[in-house]
Amino acid sequence: ATRLVERLVRLCRSRVQYRHTLHARTSTCGSSALHFATQSGNLHTCRALIKGGLNIYYKRFDGQSALQCCAPHIADTIKALHTSGRSFAAFLSHAKKDAAATARTLKDYLQAELQREVFLDCDNLHRLSELQNNVRDTEVFVQLQTRHVLERPYCLLELLTAIDAGVPIVLVEVASNSDEYTFDHEEASAFLADLENTLKPWAWNELLRWRPADRRETAELLYSTIVHTVSRKIDFGAPKRVLNAMLRELAETIRASAAGFEHESEETNMSTPLGGRNHASPPMIKRDMTY
């Protein structure tokens, strides 16, 4: 049975049209294949699925992660497999036009701070066909929020892949003195709310080429994820002491997310979860967690 799972994993990873199916979940409870494997205690199948890119912190509809469903005797081993099986501590997703220099600076800092490789496409992406597997092969997905990031099909593809794979997501708003690159929360919310019409046809075609799915479902998934994920702010124009504090907090957030915990900023004293926020009215993207 384990060999069959391994063969299926290889098939899903090697064929574009099958890649997202590896991360499918049941319609009744939202369980992934890894939930069933960890619950049954089948370590060999768990190893094959984790190697294939499934995340142990991916949650069912009731909020239970695959790790929380784990049989007690393999819990520690599953954690070790998850950590050792990922090539990258973080994946930096960004729009080159807006934040190429910022992404480079962040990579250099985070690699020194985390003592692990951080993915940056200009350094680590060898073939476009490997992009989604690179996202699945990371512990935490970090997207730099700038004006044009949601217009780029590959930035959306990276984000969707992280969502599908259950990779923890951290959003970082990049402060800019230029309106040309500044991320506008209300504008982004409106853009996502009508993504079927606002995203250009060529961008839709490119996105769906790599991740075939219904446009409306894709738009709703992106909207709900970004709206309900708290955005952290980085300002490279801030005084050095303040900037260093921002960078340290970001590194701690990444560590906590990789470990399956929510990080609370001491400076802002905010307790809002990174992965969720309840809205009584129609949701808007929040400008929270500013240092």
Side-chain angles (χ1 to χ4, degrees):
T2 301
R3 288 185 179 180
L4 176 60
V5 171
E6 290 175 344
R7 290 179 63 185
L8 288 172
V9 168
R10 285 197 296 270
L11 174 64
C12 290
R13 286 172 65 91
S14 63
R15 303 288 181 86
V16 171
Q17 65 268 37
Y18 297 142
R19 282 178 188 166
H20 69 286
T21 62
L22 181 63
H23 305 271
R25 57 182 181 173
T26 62
S27 59
T28 53
C29 64
S31 292
S32 67
L34 188 56
H35 279 89
F36 293 110
T38 57
Q39 194 169 9
S40 67
N42 190 324
L43 186 57
H44 296 293
T45 300
C46 290
R47 180 180 288 109
L49 293 171
I50 291 172
K51 186 177 180 181
L54 271 73
N55 195 293
I56 64 175
Y57 299 112
Y58 188 78
K59 295 181 179 180
R60 306 184 305 201
F61 297 151
D62 64 1
Q64 295 292 301
S65 68
L67 178 62
Q68 290 172 314
C69 296
C70 194
H73 67 282
I74 64 169
D76 290 339
T77 305
I78 292 299
K79 289 181 182 179
L81 284 173
H82 173 79
T83 302
S84 63
R86 306 278 163 166
S87 299
F88 306 104
F91 183 108
L92 294 180
S93 175
H94 67 291
K96 284 187 174 63
K97 177 182 179 181
D98 300 347
T102 300
R104 165 60 59 193
T105 302
L106 276 179
K107 169 168 178 165
D108 292 343
Y109 173 83
L110 290 173
Q111 282 195 162
E113 182 69 21
L114 301 173
Q115 293 296 296
R116 292 276 308 282
E117 181 72 15
V118 172
F119 181 95
L120 187 62
D121 54 4
C122 60
D123 294 339
N124 305 105
L125 183 62
H126 305 297
R127 289 188 296 272
L128 187 57
S129 60
E130 297 176 351
L131 179 63
Q132 289 171 280
N133 284 338
N134 290 143
V135 174
R136 298 179 187 117
D137 199 22
T138 191
E139 292 186 11
V140 179
F141 178 85
V142 180
Q143 186 163 83
L144 306 187
Q145 293 183 304
T146 53
R147 178 169 292 277
H148 302 101
V149 69
L150 299 177
E151 301 171 6
R152 300 294 188 260
Y154 290 106
C155 292
L156 297 179
L157 176 64
E158 291 163 356
L159 178 57
L160 285 164
T161 302
I163 297 169
D164 292 338
V167 177
I169 294 169
V170 174
L171 301 179
V172 178
E173 180 190 347
V174 179
S176 173
N177 293 326
S178 172
D179 290 340
E180 183 180 357
Y181 303 121
T182 299
F183 186 81
D184 186 288
H185 290 261
E186 293 188 5
E187 181 181 291
S189 183
F191 181 85
L192 287 169
D194 191 30
L195 192 64
E196 289 182 82
N197 298 312
T198 53
L199 188 64
K200 294 181 179 179
W202 70 267
W204 268 118
N205 292 338
E206 195 65 13
L207 177 59
L208 298 178
R209 179 167 77 92
W210 293 98
R211 185 186 179 276
D214 179 78
R215 289 194 181 196
R216 177 170 295 180
E217 290 179 359
T218 299
E220 289 176 352
L221 181 59
L222 286 167
Y223 180 81
S224 62
T225 298
I226 292 183
V227 164
H228 291 86
T229 303
V230 175
S231 178
R232 294 174 173 271
K233 191 170 185 177
I234 289 289
D235 184 359
F236 282 93
K240 185 176 181 179
R241 179 184 60 81
V242 177
L243 176 59
N244 286 338
M246 293 179 184
L247 293 171
R248 284 195 301 272
E249 284 289 332
L250 177 59
E252 286 304 312
T253 298
I254 291 173
R255 287 193 184 99
S257 298
F261 298 105
E262 295 159 357
H263 178 63
E264 180 178 337
S265 169
E266 294 181 359
E267 294 185 18
T268 55
N269 192 30
M270 297 194 63
S271 57
T272 305
L274 287 174
R277 174 186 292 274
N278 294 323
H279 299 267
S281 56
M284 298 291 289
I285 298 176
K286 298 297 181 181
R287 196 185 300 269
D288 290 345
M289 302 306 290
T290 303
Y291 302 107

